[in-house]
Amino acid sequence: MPTSAPEKNKLGLWTSTSLVVGNMIGAGVFLMPAAMASFGSIGLLGWVFSAIGSFFLAKVFSNLSKLLPHATGGPYAYTRTGLGDFAGFLVAWGYYLAVSCANAAITISFVSALSTFFPVLASSAVAAVATGLCTIWLLTYINTRGVVAGGKVQLITTILKITPLVLVAIGGLFFIQAKNFVPFNGSGTSVYSALTATATMTMFAFIGIESATVPSGSVANPEKTIPRATLLGLLIATLVYILSSISVMGIIAPAALQRSVTPFADAAVVIYGSNARYWVSAGIAIAAFGSLNGWTLLQGQMPFAIANDKLFPTAFTRQNKKGVPYVGILVSSVMVSVFMSMNYTKGLVEQFKFLLLLSLLSILIPYLLSAASYLIIRVKQKQVNGLSGAIVLAILAFGYALWTIAGTGKDAVYYGFLLLMGGIPFYVWLAYKKNS
């Protein structure tokens, strides 16, 4: 096993918190009010349900990080410890591919946001691809310089991206019109169906709550820092999400909100004037850039953890002079570059959307299995004090994760299952190499 990095080269509380907040708050959040407008104000309850469910999951991750403070890999490490090598491999396999697909989508969002300032990016596929590739590899370079370098970028971009959201969230409270919250349920379906749909949509904004647990080997005082960063990050993101959604929905009429392609910018114009559109667009670009940086940091950590357990090629255990497992970052960045470029090739657009669909489920399954592993790990460590409360927490977290997976739809579940099973031959080959 590689030696641990010095404390000065590790992530502290605020950089770890910014990793959680930065990975959760991506460019897609800026479009969420418009996407949910057709459901009516019941969408606000969807946010509340997602926040409550995410709290159960965050609490599970927080408790797991105390039980296994030095287990690099987060959901993978917890699942492997609780459920064994095979379950751990499936989690890592799906998670690694999911992050690569998601990063490609985030890169596209970043380029799209920049097109407000550089219109050529909206009309020239070559310019768009070139900009996307430069962004991917700039952040790859930064994150191979050490987790502290990537952490500093993450902290700065998180502060910058939250600023326009907070300004709209707080300023918008003075421009709210009660009539814009009617109807309560405009979906044409039952309250339960509308709530399930909106809670599933908003849950995607909470993806990333596990971010502080993944690079635990690179976190200072992990048994204290990770739990605090996880819960603090969730609290910050939840407040930003709910307050900003209330403001945007209260300012823009439902019919207009459904047609809006820039709901936060439209709300900002009402509050602060026409120039506000530009700083909101800048906020979207920074949000995408910050999310891409955060997920890039995690790209090397997951395969590094699996490879150390002999469940991935040993090349992924290599570290540079800064102690960064660079092979995983480089391989994933190549995949991200390919997936991102696919989106700008007409014949491959559908394939890209298909890959993105698979990535969503692949991130939710680790949450489910981590909740299941929580109780097993407690029993293995003979942590019997407070066991009844742990059982209730595990059931709530597991149930919520399962409910959210069901809400992603039959196609996502079907193809996501095939994606996970597609990794089995790879696992068999690695097991053969390990024991031969």
Side-chain angles (χ1 to χ4, degrees), residues 179-253:
K179 65 180 181 180
N180 290 334
F181 293 107
V182 178
F184 173 68
N185 179 12
S187 66
T189 61
S190 67
V191 169
Y192 176 79
S193 297
L195 194 57
T196 300
T198 54
T200 300
M201 290 174 66
T202 52
M203 180 58 203
F204 293 134
F206 288 91
I207 295 296
I209 54 175
E210 78 290 354
S211 295
T213 70
V214 177
S216 61
S218 301
V219 175
N221 198 9
E223 59 274 9
K224 291 184 178 179
T225 301
I226 294 174
R228 291 174 182 172
T230 299
L231 294 175
L232 183 59
L234 175 63
L235 175 62
I236 293 171
T238 299
L239 288 174
V240 170
Y241 288 157
I242 294 179
L243 286 178
S244 61
S245 293
I246 290 173
S247 291
V248 173
M249 291 179 70
I251 292 172
I252 305 174

Side-chain angles (χ1 to χ4, degrees), residues 54-84:
S54 295
F55 171 77
F56 297 142
L57 291 168
K59 188 63 177 173
V60 164
F61 284 122
S62 176
N63 291 350
L64 280 167
S65 70
K66 294 176 185 177
L67 295 171
L68 301 169
H70 301 286
T72 298
Y76 155 73
Y78 305 145
T79 301
R80 178 176 178 267
T81 302
L83 299 173

